[in-house]
Amino acid sequence: MGFSNGSSITVAIVLIFCLLHLSGIQAQRTFTPNGFSFDEFDLSRDTDHLKFIGDASASLGALQLTPDSKNNLFSLYNRSGRVMYLQSFKLWSSGDIQASFNSTFLINIYRTDNWTAGQGLAFLIAPDLSIPPKSSGQWLGLTNDTTDGNQTNQVVAVEFDTEKQYYDPDDNHIGLNINSVISNKTESLDEHGIRLCPAEATNYSVWVQYNGVSKLMEVYMAKGGEPKPEQPLLNATINLKQYVKQESYFGFAGSTGYPNVELNCVLEWSLQVEILSNKSNLIWLKIGVGVGVPAVALLILIGVLYMRKKKVSSDEESNVFDAQLRWLPGMPREFKYKDLKKATNNFHESMKLGQGGFGIVYRGNLNVGDHNTAAEVAVKQFSRDKMEGKDDFLAELTIIHRLRHKHLVRLVGWCYDKGKLLLIYDFMPNGSLDKHLYETSNENTLNWERRHRILAGVASALHYLHNEYDQKVVHRDLKASNIMLDSDYNARLGDFGLARALDNERNSYADLGLAGVPGTMGYVAPECFHTGRATPESDVYGFGAVVLEVVCGRSPGIQINHNQRLYALVDWVWMLHREGNILEAVDERLDNDYVVDEAKRLLLLGLACSHPIASERPQTQAIYQIIAGTLPLPNVHPFKPVFTWPSMETSCGISELSVSSTTTLSSKGCSVGSVNNQWA
Ligand SMILES: *[C@@H]1O[C@H](CO)[C@@H](O)[C@H](O)[C@H]1NC(C)=O
Ligand SMILES: *[C@@H]1O[C@H](CO)[C@@H](O)[C@H](O)[C@H]1NC(C)=O
Ligand SMILES: *[C@@H]1O[C@H](CO)[C@@H](O)[C@H](O)[C@H]1NC(C)=O
Ligand SMILES: *[C@@H]1O[C@H](CO)[C@@H](O)[C@H](O)[C@H]1NC(C)=O
Ligand SMILES: *[C@@H]1O[C@H](CO)[C@@H](O)[C@H](O)[C@H]1NC(C)=O
Ligand SMILES: *[C@@H]1O[C@H](CO)[C@@H](O)[C@H](O)[C@H]1NC(C)=O
Ligand SMILES: *[C@@H]1O[C@H](CO)[C@@H](O)[C@H](O)[C@H]1NC(C)=O
Ligand SMILES: *[C@@H]1O[C@H](CO)[C@@H](O)[C@H](O)[C@H]1NC(C)=O
């Protein structure tokens, strides 16, 4: 291999960078007072946090609720076990107050070809760290012959059941169980295209959410690596306080039967529980009675002083913030709140243009420019009550202001008033792309030529954000509703650069996995559910979703029924690609009025950008050239590659070391092979 001197130095730098990066890769486990997250399990290490009960153990990076052995069938029969998190959580307090919680986990219920699956596993809330003896077979590690149905169990569970009993709908369902293996509510999974225990090993992601205010419990499920679906599979209003102990434990239970067996594995698990405040009048009263009036007076005095101090300092803070904003050089124009109010008719409903991730957008008429000429603008009012991470925001606003590109929506000005933030943008007469894809009755508005031009525009804006500006900017929230159309139907990317500043250190699960950012389904790259971090690669993934959406005229979040099977948009296109019918995916409403070569190019590009492994996605430079037809078609594997985590992804593409302009599609010069995925 003949590298020139220059390129071998570059390669060396890249390699060093990758090695540094690799040495930082390790299992991610976090523990906080209100939750935790495991992305793999290890018996030698995790006994500090987890209790393994009955036949449960951990091996191959996973919790094994029942023994894991494919060779010794006898050791698999009639087993049951639980794994519980050692710390309890307070789930309710006086009155009607209950803690919300969210848990996400990845399960793999495994069998070999010649086994019939039995019996299942369950996510459970239990009052203690014990397990009933003889809970194998139909009892799922939850109850037994004597205790089933007894209220003193204080167990609430979500079961994943693979064997039919007389009380079950079938051998492939989930259910909500209260103190019993007889579910209060079940949902059969066959009609959702989910097989809990298929012949080939399959991971499933599960999201269990409980809202302590509405008392709604919801269970979502998707194939491993796919995003959280919009609709829960199962929901139920359940007043947990009636059933569970105030201090309860979370964990998993599982069982096998005879002769039906399976391996009950949990590969990843995270939980977040809302912390209920302990402060209540009752406590004050008790202190008062116990230590007498003077102490209470003292406490109150301290309290008042503290409150005053706090108030003063936060006022000061916001003044400083104000001043900083105003004096910043190169800032866009500042507007007065009362002018914006007037311009938007007091933020009247009729002026509302839409609602985005961070706030509401209104249309307004404002005097902008030097000659105070009235112009139409879009005013974005942020919904957060108070700004957090102000310094970040300041930094970001200057960056946003300096970003100028014909495919970015221009920032006209800003306003900061009493903690409320408003940004003023150019008004885009044709609104956002999604409206034209789905809401317009006039199908001619988005003919092929326009669709192609829109995608080329977005690609060039993305390339600009990622590369051409000295501070790399990641968009983070690329989706059809953030792509605006000017009067000529040219794409203008909006909302760029905002996310990072407005995001106040919320962790990945709260942000993505569980909160399920509204309207974002299908645009979020799979690795983001693990890292919570947006990268140029995750932008490219979002771009891929937009490409498929524009060409197919279908939303990435909506399932497509094809021969009685449900597909996510990307899986559907991938399947058509495999079968050699990729052009079948093109929007029927175009009535075959499109350029075949361009459509094929875009669809393959959309798939290439949707590669589950971040480092395999093309970069913006290549994307732009592929759309323009100056690079050959991407080579897309007929089967969608499997998402692996952690992957060997490196941040070479993200680093400041800019990769040479002849970047090819897949090779980044630093993929070292795939990490040991022990679970097969
Ligand atoms: C498993 O349990 C069932 C019912 O309790 C029993 O009939 C069977 O003999 C047991 N099998 C083994 C291998 O323990
Ligand atoms: C399943 O197949 C394996 C070999 O492939 C064999 O050893 C085992 O006995 C079979 N088990 C059953 C229950 O048939
Ligand atoms: C069921 O479990 C309880 C304790 O949880 C135990 O007292 C009882 O004996 C068990 N019953 C059977 C049939 O094993
Ligand atoms: C439920 O369990 C409690 C305690 O184990 C026991 O005293 C009670 O008799 C049981 N109730 C029924 C209906 O079995
Ligand atoms: C549902 O749960 C309640 C509460 O424990 C129980 O009393 C009831 O019998 C359950 N219903 C069904 C159909 O299992
Ligand atoms: C709960 O699920 C039912 C369908 O089973 C659905 O009609 C209903 O809208 C859901 N409710 C909520 C609050 O999601
Ligand atoms: C759980 O997720 C929902 C959104 O899906 C979010 O509103 C809620 O705050 C989360 N709760 C906790 C305790 O993290
Ligand atoms: C299941 O997930 C684990 C851990 O994330 C991964 O190593 C494994 O390859 C996945 N298996 C399948 C069949 O997707």
Side-chain angles (χ1 to χ4, degrees):
M1 282 218 257
F3 284 113
S4 77
N5 261 353
S7 64
S8 47
I9 290 173
T10 314
V11 168
I13 294 175
V14 168
L15 276 180
I16 289 170
F17 192 86
C18 293
L19 287 175
L20 286 175
H21 186 79
L22 283 184
S23 57
I25 291 183
Q26 49 186 327
Q28 293 289 312
R29 302 149 78 239
T30 52
F31 306 100
T32 61
N34 66 327
F36 55 82
S37 150
F38 292 88
D39 72 355
E40 65 169 5
F41 298 92
D42 181 343
L43 195 59
S44 65
R45 183 188 61 192
D46 291 338
T47 45
D48 288 351
H49 299 283
L50 299 171
K51 176 137 180 156
F52 295 84
I53 314 164
D55 299 320
S57 176
S59 62
L60 299 170
L63 299 179
Q64 312 285 347
L65 302 171
T66 51
D68 166 27
S69 159
K70 281 177 229 163
N71 311 324
N72 181 359
L73 259 184
F74 202 76
S75 70
L76 300 182
Y77 294 135
N78 289 345
R79 297 305 195 115
S80 66
R82 282 187 191 176
V83 176
M84 306 297 296
Y85 190 65
L86 274 173
Q87 178 203 325
S88 65
F89 292 93
K90 182 171 180 179
L91 294 187
W92 44 269
S93 62
S94 58
D96 201 27
I97 301 168
Q98 308 198 12
S100 297
F101 63 81
N102 289 335
S103 187
T104 307
F105 43 92
L106 187 68
I107 57 174
N108 181 341
I109 304 181
Y110 178 85
R111 68 182 170 91
T112 66
D113 280 346
N114 59 357
W115 297 354
T116 305
Q119 298 251 350
L121 63 83
F123 168 74
L124 85 156
I125 305 175
D128 54 41
L129 299 172
S130 71
I131 184 175
K134 295 215 184 92
S135 186
S136 62
Q138 62 181 326
W139 308 114
L140 298 179
L142 292 176
T143 59
N144 67 18
D145 221 353
T146 337
T147 65
D148 196 74
N150 192 324
Q151 283 175 22
T152 59
N153 290 343
Q154 295 184 294
V155 165
V156 169
V158 176
E159 66 167 33
F160 300 81
D161 198 339
T162 60
E163 185 169 334
K164 182 177 164 26
Q165 308 294 336
Y166 71 88
Y167 45 79
D168 285 331
D170 59 19
D171 63 355
N172 185 40
H173 63 272
I174 58 172
L176 176 71
N177 296 5
I178 302 174
N179 295 325
S180 168
V181 291
I182 307 180
S183 306
N184 276 67
K185 202 170 173 183
T186 59
E187 182 67 25
S188 178
L189 298 175
D190 284 346
E191 53 239 48
H192 297 284
I194 293 177
R195 193 76 212 167
L196 281 175
C197 189
E200 68 286 1
T202 308
N203 293 343
Y204 286 103
S205 301
V206 181
W207 294 260
V208 176
Q209 292 184 188
Y210 181 68
N211 183 321
V213 179
S214 66
K215 319 265 187 292
L216 183 68
M217 184 176 286
E218 293 174 310
V219 184
Y220 299 80
M221 223 172 145
K223 273 229 173 71
E226 288 179 6
K228 188 176 121 186
E230 281 181 35
Q231 293 301 318
L233 281 180
L234 183 92
N235 67 30
T237 307
I238 163 172
N239 190 347
L240 275 187
K241 185 175 177 178
Q242 288 177 8
Y243 307 115
V244 301
K245 222 175 119 188
Q246 181 165 29
E247 288 284 341
S248 283
Y249 297 85
F250 285 85
F252 296 93
S255 71
T256 60
Y258 176 78
N260 299 351
V261 292
E262 64 194 22
L263 309 189
N264 292 298
C265 314
V266 178
L267 299 98
E268 295 168 11
W269 183 26
S270 74
L271 174 75
Q272 259 160 355
V273 184
E274 179 190 7
I275 296 190
L276 294 176
S277 156
N278 276 323
K279 294 184 201 88
S280 79
N281 297 335
L282 259 178
I283 295 175
W284 281 99
L285 202 67
K286 271 188 201 150
I287 293 174
V289 174
V291 293
V293 177
V296 173
L298 190 65
L299 276 174
I300 291 175
L301 189 66
I302 292 171
V304 168
L305 285 176
Y306 177 74
M307 300 286 273
R308 268 179 57 185
K309 182 147 179 285
K310 220 175 140 184
K311 187 157 185 299
V312 167
S313 72
S314 80
D315 274 359
E316 264 167 14
E317 219 173 84
S318 81
N319 285 340
V320 170
F321 179 50
D322 252 17
Q324 265 177 328
L325 266 180
R326 228 157 261 147
W327 295 338
L328 222 60
M331 283 301 295
R333 178 163 167 191
E334 182 190 353
F335 290 91
K336 290 210 172 70
Y337 186 71
K338 72 173 194 329
D339 292 338
L340 296 179
K341 218 167 132 177
K342 210 168 109 196
T344 57
N345 198 2
N346 200 7
F347 300 103
H348 194 266
E349 190 65 29
S350 63
M351 303 295 272
K352 202 163 143 181
L353 286 171
Q355 194 146 4
F358 301 110
I360 304 175
V361 185
Y362 296 91
R363 180 179 187 151
N365 247 307
L366 205 59
N367 289 337
V368 295
D370 301 332
H371 306 292
N372 273 357
T373 42
E376 278 205 287
V377 293
V379 179
K380 180 160 211 169
Q381 187 181 40
F382 287 82
S383 45
R384 308 244 170 132
D385 301 341
K386 61 178 187 343
M387 288 295 304
E388 286 173 71
K390 290 168 185 172
D391 290 345
D392 277 357
F393 178 72
L394 279 179
E396 206 74 5
L397 200 52
T398 44
I399 295 175
I400 295 170
H401 178 53
R402 287 183 194 156
L403 292 168
R404 290 289 154 100
H405 187 271
K406 66 177 177 180
H407 291 294
L408 292 178
V409 180
R410 192 175 67 102
L411 179 68
V412 177
W414 59 279
C415 165
Y416 181 80
D417 183 77
K418 301 195 187 76
K420 271 206 172 46
L421 174 76
L422 299 102
L423 293 182
I424 298 104
Y425 293 98
D426 272 344
F427 176 69
M428 290 290 124
N430 276 318
S432 58
L433 174 60
D434 57 332
K435 300 231 161 47
H436 291 276
L437 281 174
Y438 310 116
E439 285 172 24
T440 344
S441 50
N442 182 1
E443 274 138 35
N444 297 327
T445 55
L446 278 191
N447 61 20
W448 180 256
E449 193 271 328
R450 278 182 182 159
R451 292 190 200 210
H452 192 264
R453 194 150 40 88
I454 286 167
L455 291 175
V458 176
S460 89
L462 205 57
H463 182 62
Y464 171 80
L465 291 178
H466 287 184
N467 299 286
E468 284 175 15
Y469 188 71
D470 55 355
Q471 273 167 295
K472 286 179 195 306
V473 175
V474 176
H475 188 289
R476 286 191 64 143
D477 200 15
L478 203 61
K479 55 187 179 195
S481 57
N482 273 342
I483 297 169
M484 313 303 289
L485 300 177
D486 67 14
S487 52
D488 280 335
Y489 290 90
N490 285 307
R492 298 279 208 107
L493 207 47
D495 265 3
F496 45 90
L498 280 177
R500 188 173 62 180
L502 293 171
D503 191 11
N504 46 6
E505 292 182 335
R506 307 234 1 230
N507 76 35
S508 56
Y509 289 96
D511 248 17
L512 292 162
L514 302 157
V517 186
T520 307
M521 275 312 128
Y523 297 104
V524 180
E527 71 273 11
C528 292
F529 294 92
H530 296 265
T531 63
R533 226 176 12 159
T535 58
E537 286 86 352
S538 63
D539 271 359
V540 166
Y541 187 92
F543 177 74
V546 170
V547 171
L548 296 180
E549 177 168 21
V550 169
V551 178
C552 306
R554 298 172 187 252
S555 160
I558 287 175
Q559 304 243 295
I560 298 166
N561 193 333
H562 185 101
N563 292 342
Q564 260 93 60
R565 280 196 58 185
L566 290 178
Y567 292 89
L569 177 60
V570 53
D571 296 327
W572 179 64
V573 178
W574 219 302
M575 185 268 297
L576 293 173
H577 165 54
R578 178 162 61 246
E579 297 180 348
N581 301 326
I582 198 165
L583 289 173
E584 231 177 77
V586 177
D587 194 347
E588 286 172 352
R589 292 172 299 174
L590 286 168
D591 229 358
N592 281 327
D593 192 1
Y594 63 91
V595 183
V596 169
D597 179 54
E598 287 177 352
K600 196 165 171 199
R601 194 170 270 278
L602 286 177
L603 286 167
L604 289 174
L605 175 65
L607 293 182
C609 295
S610 307
H611 199 295
I613 298 170
S615 57
E616 295 294 315
R617 294 173 203 145
Q619 296 186 352
T620 51
Q621 169 92 26
I623 290 174
Y624 191 69
Q625 289 175 307
I626 289 169
I627 296 179
T630 55
L631 261 191
L633 283 176
N635 188 5
V636 176
H637 196 272
F639 286 89
K640 183 176 168 187
V642 179
F643 174 67
T644 56
W645 189 262
S647 74
M648 202 29 74
E649 174 206 352
T650 71
S651 50
C652 294
I654 315 168
S655 76
E656 257 55 54
L657 303 163
S658 60
V659 180
S660 81
S661 60
T662 54
T663 322
T664 52
L665 269 186
S666 56
S667 128
K668 295 266 175 57
C670 60
S671 47
V672 189
S674 91
V675 134
N676 50 325
N677 279 315
Q678 309 102 318
W679 182 249

